[in-house]
Amino acid sequence: MALDVWEHAYYIDYKNDRGKFIEGFWNIVDWEELDKYFKNIK
């Protein structure tokens, strides 16, 4: 999992507030799906 924090990734929605962009990212992560993905990695 990766999060792009260069300005092009968030500027339109968050302007210069990178912190709010990162907070918003954690709110949309599907933790159950991510858990399944990592459990299936061999």
Side-chain angles (χ1 to χ4, degrees), residues 10-36:
Y10 63 87
Y11 190 80
I12 291 174
D13 295 322
Y14 294 92
K15 303 295 181 230
N16 291 324
D17 198 343
R18 184 182 294 163
K20 280 192 179 181
F21 170 68
I22 294 170
E23 286 176 26
F25 172 77
W26 293 118
N27 292 327
I28 64 166
V29 172
D30 185 340
W31 294 106
E32 290 178 16
E33 197 63 33
L34 193 59
D35 185 51
K36 287 182 211 174

Side-chain angles (χ1 to χ4, degrees), residues 1 4 8 24-25 30 37-38 41:
M1 183 171 76
D4 183 354
H8 68 267
F25 172 77
D30 185 340
Y37 175 80
F38 282 113
I41 294 176

